[in-house]
Amino acid sequence: MRPILLKGHERAITCVVYNNDGDLVFTAAKDQIPSLWYAKTGERIGTYQGHQGAVWDLSVSWDSTRMLSASADASARMWDVQTGRELVVYNHMGPVRSVSFAEGGQRFATVSDPFTDSPGLISVFEAPDDVPTDQLEKIACLEIDLPPKMKATKVVWGALNEKLIVAYADGTIRTFDPFDGTELEYAQVGTRQGRSSGVHSKDINRLCINKDRTLLLTCSKDYTSKLLDANTLQVLKTYKTDRPVNASVMHPTKEHVILGGGQDAMSVTTTSSNVVCGLQGGAVG
Amino acid sequence: MGDQYYVDEYDEEPDMDELKDYMSPDEGDGDLAGFERPELNVDLSTAVVVSNLPQVVEAKHEKLGGVVRKVFSKMGTIADDGLTHPFDKTTGLTKGFAFVNFLNPQDAKQAAATLNGWQLDKSHLIKVYPFEQLARLRSLPEEYESPEPKPFKPRVDPSSWLADEQHRDQFVLRYSEPHPSGKLVHEAEVMWSEKLQTPSLCYGGEREKEAGKAWCELFLMWSPQGTYLTTFHVPGIALWGGERFEKQGRFPHKDVKVVEFSPCETYVMTCNFEQGDKAIIVWEVLTGQMLRAFPMATTTAADGAASLFRWSADGKYLARKGKDLISIYELPSMRLLDKKSLKAEGVSDFEWSPKDNVLAYWAPEQANAPARVSVVEIPSRKELRQKNLVMVSECRLHWQDEGDYLCVKVLRHSKSKKTMYNNFEIFRVREPLVPVETMEKKQQVAAFAWEPAGDRFALVLGDVPKLEVTFYTMKGGAGKNELQELETLQDRPFNHIYWSPMGNICLLAAMGDDVGPHNGRLEFYDVENQSTLKQTEHFRCNYIEWDPSGRYACTAVSQPVTGSHWKAQMDNGYQLFSFQGERFHEFKKDNFYQIQWRPRPASLLTSAEKKKVVKNLRKYEKRFEKDDREKDRRKAREAMSDKIQMKLEFRQQVAEMNLRLEGRRQELVDLRNGYDSDDESHYVVDSRTGEVVLSVKEVIQ
């Protein structure tokens, strides 16, 4: 195994995703231009030009034909993976933090930050792949308001598209019905200091779900990452580290997780070696 | 009783008729209606009672009174008629007590504090107490009632940790963790150091936690031989010992900042640097009894620590620097040795020898007298050696651990006072006439350290970051009695030296901000073989300590308990190294305050026995190695079985989850427009065969 260094972004990388078949890698960065790469060789296939702000999140449809991007320019955009053509622009009220295709790719959800008077939103859009893209509805079919000033950091779909799982900046995780927007579950493990209770005592940086959509893996500034039952939101395992965790992934078939983290560049003064990727070998079991 | 005698005189009502006689005629026509009775001055705070005076015949009455007056007038001005020394006509002897009335209450207080227990002559130790205390004495019952004897409580064995079968050492940790409620939870944990492994917990204050108390909220400290763990609290200090760290003693002294045990752990001195008479208190450890209290010395108010007392090596004497003298107190009586302080003209600093009752002090230049260093034996006060020095800016006294050598680092200046240079005056204290060797160095001295129980020392010279570390021996040359340079390490950033307690291995460290990027660099150096064992780093470490056996060293980044962190909390924590410099344990905590190894008492083995152990090391090693192997195996087995158990549980959970979805597989397929990723028929198997010629070999037959 030899690492391949992908050089293409000018600013900090925000998101790296594989497509379903694992032959393509999509990357997004704060430099506004997502890129597509061959997973095997590291050769860049192309870029997706159009955003006017940092790109925070990407989601690829299960058949790798369409890709969604969430950007700080208050829009989510749908792209044709093969040609790099911008298909649809979905305008939001504030910066879009996260975007996620539903199972089957017929719908997708976004979360956007609060901006001036408008609160943060969880939005669900219809995007059937048998409708020509210029006729797709650009208005959300469902909008859920977040409490005032509250931010959500990540949205994923639960098993069989039965619920939306949303990670909040206050360390809680909530699930919603994707059709009528009612709140279903609320994870209440641990407490934030003096504030509302949540899974983590500090911001949840990221959230990922496994292929079967049965397990959730969070990572948080409170130096831990937690494995949750995606159905009940019950905490199954806690992985403690010695630094804030910024990203975490589960092995698709084996019982391993990888956590990556370190201090924010902002809060680092001078340190010798502050970013270390720790492999928590066999940590799931 | 005496007090009765004195008080009754004043208790009488004043005779009004008598008063009338004193009044002048034009004052109210002799009418007493408007006359206010003068307030009788009942303030007795200026008076002290002196008892246990000798009983003398009339002829000597006056003479004794004179002596008492002379002694007490040293404490302050005595009021007119201030001395009452009653004589009993029936027995023809004085009553053996006296009253002294000062002008000023402070003088009375001082007299009671200073002269109580004064040896007047061979058989009379006078007692002096404030007059106000008599009231308390009067209320004492006439009959002596013996107090109920307290039920006997066997003391826990405070040395049980020494009997550990694996001969592990202990250390204590102090840190705190944020509780979900937002408050910091203070933790103090005593850990067993394990051989090159993660340390295991011995006691973490579980008993106190159960009772809802915090074991320690401020600092911790081990006593010098490791018997007691001292915890600092606002009302005072507490000592803990024994296998489960039961409370061994409590010493109430508000806001204690500094605690000094006598080296033998019999006595302890506490100091809170506050105003008043009880800034420094000396206690007996076992009984918890206060032996004597002192105010802070007024002469050196500027540097608080310097006015503290210092214990002699055997804990028999306690000494404090005063103006032109060193006051030496004897224990347990806490009386001034031979009733007078050691005269030490212009003394600036002193240090006891770590092994003998010998102290060394230095005094700077005064008028025409040169600066000097003096080594004095106590209690004989014999000056073993004195050395005069000129052009001295400052001296530092460094005793070698065994008290064999004393190195005086003399910072000297040139005549113009523009350039500074260093002299090292090394006293061979154990040799007859105490010969002194001198070494001069032009560079700045960054560090100096004697090898514990050895004849070598290390010296760091130069400017940061290009320093040189030099090792010297006191037993060099042909006669094994000369100071000789062993070797020099050039261009090192290290500004601190930590010798292993067993000697030979030296841990060199670069610490502090002035070493810049080298901050936290470490080097383990073998002095005997002149070789570097390992160069390593613990970024930003600010504390280094060897364990008492010299097997491990800990390095730590800590922050003060009371204040915020020094630099970045991220770095807080400790690391453990073997003496070869291998790091084997790391611990990080945002609020990490303290780590301290538990000291051990001095070895009971003679040096011959020690040599024997070293000779037969292989034999002992085998036994310990076997134990270690078994322990490792047992640990691995336990960890393994735990892991297997956890894995099984987890797999069970996942299987249940999958089972729930398994029955709804069709729904998933429908969502994907009828595509089933598990259906093998969707995959096209494409097999190709390729042929590569690796090598060709031609064989001619």
Side-chain angles (χ1 to χ4, degrees):
Chain A
M1 230 165 54
R2 195 171 58 86
I4 302 169
L5 195 62
L6 306 183
K7 287 184 187 168
H9 288 289
E10 285 172 1
R11 292 198 53 207
I13 307 279
T14 55
C15 176
V16 178
V17 288
Y18 273 96
N19 68 339
N20 215 19
D21 299 321
D23 59 341
L24 301 173
V25 182
F26 296 81
T27 60
K30 289 185 180 172
D31 64 4
Q32 317 179 353
I33 308 163
S35 292
L36 173 63
W37 315 76
Y38 280 120
K40 195 163 182 196
T41 59
E43 186 190 340
R44 178 145 76 172
I45 301 167
T47 56
Y48 300 91
Q49 310 227 358
H51 274 301
Q52 269 135 42
V55 180
W56 291 120
D57 196 17
L58 299 174
S59 178
V60 190
S61 66
W62 65 283
D63 56 359
S64 308
T65 55
R66 297 182 296 175
M67 189 264 283
L68 285 166
S69 57
S71 165
D73 65 3
S75 74
R77 294 176 198 223
M78 186 185 286
W79 309 83
D80 183 8
V81 168
Q82 207 165 355
T83 63
R85 199 159 55 87
E86 187 182 285
L87 301 174
V88 194
V89 179
Y90 297 94
N91 283 317
H92 287 68
M93 298 303 288
V96 188
R97 277 285 153 190
S98 172
V99 61
S100 174
F101 265 120
E103 189 83 72
Q106 307 299 311
R107 322 176 81 203
F108 70 90
T110 63
V111 290
S112 55
D113 284 351
F115 192 72
T116 59
D117 288 345
S118 50
L121 282 176
I122 304 166
S123 319
V124 181
F125 297 86
E126 294 285 351
D129 55 5
D130 50 357
V131 176
T133 48
D134 50 353
Q135 285 167 33
L136 278 178
E137 186 61 70
K138 289 184 191 174
I139 294 167
C141 63
L142 173 71
E143 279 187 349
I144 307 165
D145 282 4
L146 298 179
K149 300 243 168 97
M150 178 60 76
K151 280 187 186 177
T153 52
K154 182 82 184 162
V155 58
V156 292
W157 292 76
L160 303 171
N161 293 347
E162 278 173 342
K163 56 179 110 175
L164 284 170
I165 303 165
V166 185
Y168 279 50
D170 68 351
T172 59
I173 292 177
R174 288 160 206 251
T175 62
F176 298 92
D177 185 305
F179 293 98
D180 59 16
T182 49
E183 191 173 323
L184 301 171
E185 281 112 13
Y186 172 64
Q188 229 170 351
V189 192
T191 17
R192 190 184 172 135
Q193 296 169 20
R195 299 263 299 271
S196 67
S197 48
V199 176
H200 287 285
S201 56
K202 280 186 177 157
D203 300 14
I204 296 181
N205 283 329
R206 262 178 189 275
L207 177 72
C208 69
I209 195 157
N210 69 342
K211 250 184 167 170
D212 293 336
R213 298 190 190 255
T214 49
L215 295 170
L216 286 173
L217 185 66
T218 64
C219 51
S220 163
K221 273 191 194 166
D222 68 3
Y223 298 12
T224 65
S225 173
K226 289 183 182 180
L227 187 74
L228 284 81
D229 181 341
N231 195 35
T232 60
L233 298 189
Q234 187 198 343
V235 176
L236 303 175
K237 300 276 170 207
T238 301
Y239 313 110
K240 279 189 188 160
T241 70
D242 59 356
R243 63 199 72 222
V245 189
N246 295 333
S248 58
V249 284
M250 278 177 272
H251 195 284
T253 51
K254 290 200 174 111
E255 294 166 334
H256 290 245
V257 296
I258 297 180
L259 311 176
Q263 242 178 340
D264 260 350
M266 238 164 67
S267 39
V268 174
T269 45
T270 49
T271 49
S272 54
S273 54
N274 66 313
V275 180
V276 174
C277 283
L279 175 68
Q280 307 261 318
V284 173
Chain B
M1 288 198 59
D3 43 348
Q4 200 69 31
Y5 165 88
Y6 188 81
V7 173
D8 282 354
E9 261 190 352
Y10 286 92
D11 275 354
E12 279 170 31
E13 282 287 309
D15 187 345
M16 285 301 162
D17 289 333
E18 204 181 327
L19 269 173
K20 238 186 235 174
D21 291 343
Y22 285 109
M23 288 160 71
S24 53
D26 45 317
E27 235 178 327
D29 303 326
D31 180 14
L32 274 174
F35 174 75
E36 279 178 34
R37 261 176 64 182
E39 255 332 283
L40 174 69
N41 183 5
V42 288
D43 180 24
L44 296 170
S45 62
T46 53
V48 294
V49 182
V50 189
S51 67
N52 212 18
L53 285 170
Q55 290 182 301
V56 293
V57 293
E58 192 164 11
K60 285 187 174 173
H61 181 190
E62 207 162 308
K63 195 181 168 198
L64 180 61
V67 170
V68 172
R69 186 181 288 276
K70 196 177 148 202
V71 169
F72 279 80
S73 58
K74 276 184 188 160
M75 295 294 126
T77 320
I78 299 172
D80 299 341
D81 275 348
L83 177 72
T84 314
H85 186 210
F87 181 76
D88 191 342
K89 279 185 187 126
T90 52
T91 56
L93 288 171
T94 57
K95 290 203 170 186
F97 58 82
F99 305 98
V100 180
N101 195 14
F102 288 94
L103 278 183
N104 176 335
Q106 274 86 41
D107 293 342
K109 223 168 167 185
Q110 164 125 31
T114 324
L115 293 176
N116 191 20
W118 174 266
Q119 194 88 44
L120 189 74
D121 62 18
K122 257 200 187 128
S123 52
H124 292 89
L125 195 81
I126 59 168
K127 294 224 182 266
V128 182
Y129 30 89
F131 190 84
E132 284 152 331
Q133 273 190 13
L134 281 185
R136 197 179 59 82
L137 293 180
R138 260 202 292 184
S139 66
L140 285 179
E142 287 293 322
E143 282 286 310
Y144 172 74
E145 277 174 42
S146 57
E148 255 327 281
K150 281 184 188 154
F152 175 72
K153 263 200 299 190
R155 271 170 55 79
V156 294
D157 175 14
S159 60
S160 56
W161 103 97
L162 290 170
D164 178 52
E165 283 200 350
Q166 286 144 354
H167 301 269
R168 296 172 295 179
D169 275 300
Q170 283 187 345
F171 60 89
V172 68
L173 298 177
R174 264 291 284 126
Y175 61 89
S176 65
E177 261 181 313
H179 188 261
S181 70
K183 268 177 78 178
L184 282 179
V185 182
H186 285 272
E187 299 279 1
E189 286 172 353
V190 179
M191 310 291 285
W192 286 110
S193 122
E194 304 283 349
K195 188 185 173 191
L196 302 180
Q197 275 170 359
T198 307
S200 55
L201 183 70
C202 169
Y203 180 69
E206 287 84 5
R207 180 181 53 236
E208 284 74 21
K209 273 183 200 161
E210 223 163 78
K213 284 185 277 191
W215 189 22
C216 176
E217 286 182 331
L218 295 165
F219 282 101
L220 286 168
M221 194 186 98
W222 291 107
S223 61
Q225 299 194 12
T227 311
Y228 307 106
L229 181 65
T230 316
T231 57
F232 288 61
H233 306 268
V234 175
I237 60 165
L239 304 189
W240 310 80
E243 215 168 328
R244 301 308 297 162
F245 289 90
E246 278 95 1
K247 193 181 268 184
Q248 305 286 305
R250 220 163 51 91
F251 301 91
H253 193 189
K254 206 167 177 303
D255 286 330
V256 170
K257 300 278 186 313
V258 173
V259 169
E260 280 296 343
F261 279 89
S262 66
C264 52
E265 297 182 340
T266 317
Y267 310 106
V268 63
M269 176 187 78
T270 59
C271 175
N272 63 5
F273 293 109
E274 273 170 20
Q275 295 291 321
D277 300 338
K278 291 190 174 177
I280 302 170
I281 303 182
V282 181
W283 313 80
E284 194 172 44
V285 171
L286 281 181
T287 59
Q289 213 171 23
M290 179 170 120
L291 296 179
R292 191 159 174 185
F294 297 90
M296 295 301 295
T298 45
T299 45
T300 49
D303 52 343
S307 71
L308 281 182
F309 286 93
R310 296 196 183 133
W311 293 99
S312 70
D314 59 1
K316 272 196 185 134
Y317 304 104
L318 193 57
R320 170 158 85 165
K321 181 191 82 173
K323 195 178 179 335
D324 295 332
L325 49 82
I326 297 171
S327 309
I328 302 166
Y329 295 86
E330 240 179 324
L331 282 127
S333 67
M334 277 313 287
R335 280 204 301 274
L336 209 52
L337 180 67
D338 300 336
K339 292 203 281 185
K340 59 179 191 289
S341 294
L342 176 72
K343 203 156 171 293
E345 200 66 45
V347 58
S348 173
D349 196 14
F350 76 96
E351 288 286 349
W352 285 98
S353 154
K355 278 275 139 64
D356 312 286
N357 286 333
V358 169
L359 63 79
Y361 71 88
W362 79 277
E365 280 155 291
Q366 270 183 329
N368 289 324
R372 65 185 206 282
V373 175
S374 201
V375 182
V376 183
E377 193 182 63
I378 301 297
S380 66
R381 304 185 189 223
K382 195 174 106 195
E383 191 160 68
L384 299 177
R385 178 71 204 241
Q386 179 183 322
K387 176 142 191 181
N388 290 339
L389 304 158
V390 287
M391 297 193 288
V392 173
S393 283
E394 211 206 348
C395 283
R396 277 281 177 79
L397 309 167
H398 297 277
W399 280 97
Q400 181 243 20
D401 276 35
E402 293 295 315
D404 296 344
Y405 313 107
L406 166 71
C407 173
V408 183
K409 196 184 92 194
V410 189
L411 184 64
R412 300 181 65 189
H413 51 76
S414 61
K415 270 210 172 99
S416 63
K417 295 201 174 180
K418 270 183 188 146
T419 47
M420 299 291 221
Y421 57 104
N422 288 286
N423 263 24
F424 293 87
E425 309 281 341
I426 303 171
F427 294 66
R428 294 178 184 266
V429 182
R430 295 238 193 267
E431 284 174 31
L433 297 175
V434 192
V436 180
E437 269 163 285
T438 306
M439 179 168 74
E440 192 175 301
K441 292 283 170 193
K442 290 267 180 261
Q443 301 111 305
Q444 204 178 322
V445 179
F448 174 94
W450 283 103
E451 177 181 24
D455 302 302
R456 290 175 285 201
F457 64 87
L459 183 60
V460 182
L461 295 171
D463 292 303
V464 172
K466 294 216 165 180
L467 299 153
E468 53 178 63
V469 184
T470 314
F471 296 95
Y472 295 87
T473 179
M474 293 301 290
K475 291 203 171 159
K480 297 234 174 263
N481 57 1
E482 285 167 41
L483 174 65
Q484 191 188 15
E485 185 177 319
L486 289 171
E487 74 203 286
T488 303
L489 311 174
Q490 299 285 358
D491 279 358
R492 304 288 162 117
F494 309 118
N495 54 0
H496 287 81
I497 313 163
Y498 296 92
W499 283 93
S500 152
M502 293 295 129
N504 193 27
I505 309 287
C506 206
L507 171 51
L508 307 167
M511 299 203 290
D513 281 341
D514 39 332
V515 289
H518 303 292
N519 194 345
R521 275 190 52 196
L522 308 167
E523 178 168 332
F524 288 80
Y525 192 80
D526 182 336
V527 181
E528 189 74 57
N529 300 315
Q530 310 201 345
S531 64
T532 298
L533 295 172
K534 184 100 177 171
Q535 287 191 332
T536 177
E537 186 190 24
H538 180 187
F539 186 62
R540 229 180 230 146
C541 68
N542 57 12
Y543 180 81
I544 293 179
E545 193 188 5
W546 282 91
D547 85 326
S549 67
R551 290 176 287 187
Y552 314 112
C554 75
T555 59
V557 184
S558 61
Q559 64 178 60
V561 175
T562 41
S564 58
H565 49 90
W566 299 116
K567 278 280 146 69
Q569 266 184 314
M570 275 299 290
D571 300 310
N572 283 353
Y574 77 90
Q575 300 187 354
L576 295 179
F577 292 86
S578 71
F579 71 88
Q580 296 99 332
E582 294 300 332
R583 177 179 325 164
F584 64 91
H585 180 62
E586 259 183 273
F587 176 89
K588 281 197 170 187
K589 229 2 122 189
D590 273 4
N591 295 306
F592 186 78
Y593 305 124
Q594 244 190 320
I595 178 168
Q596 198 181 27
W597 287 99
R598 187 173 195 170
R600 282 170 177 270
S603 171
L604 298 172
L605 299 180
T606 61
S607 58
E609 282 170 312
K610 273 185 199 166
K611 276 197 188 115
K612 212 174 135 196
V613 172
V614 172
K615 212 175 144 196
N616 297 322
L617 202 58
R618 283 263 157 239
K619 205 173 82 194
Y620 297 106
E621 205 177 64
K622 264 188 196 139
R623 207 189 86 214
F624 285 105
E625 261 175 6
K626 202 176 144 220
D627 284 354
D628 283 346
R629 256 203 313 278
E630 263 171 32
K631 211 170 112 191
D632 285 354
R633 262 190 224 143
R634 199 172 54 238
K635 255 194 178 158
R637 250 200 319 272
E638 275 169 21
M640 209 44 172
S641 72
D642 280 0
K643 230 172 176 176
I644 289 171
Q645 183 64 28
M646 276 165 76
K647 265 190 180 165
L648 282 177
E649 274 172 30
F650 180 74
R651 282 182 187 153
Q652 177 88 18
Q653 278 172 321
V654 172
E656 274 170 33
M657 285 178 216
N658 287 339
L659 201 64
R660 266 205 308 270
L661 289 176
E662 205 48 49
R664 302 172 66 182
R665 180 97 211 150
Q666 193 51 45
E667 289 176 50
L668 181 69
V669 173
D670 288 346
L671 274 177
R672 289 177 177 171
N673 266 342
Y675 173 81
D676 187 348
S677 57
D678 284 2
D679 189 345
E680 292 292 331
S681 66
H682 285 291
Y683 294 94
V684 181
V685 181
D686 181 5
S687 42
R688 293 175 201 192
T689 319
E691 213 171 88
V692 180
V693 180
L694 291 172
S695 67
V696 180
K697 205 172 176 185
E698 225 172 275
V699 182
I700 304 167
Q701 288 181 331

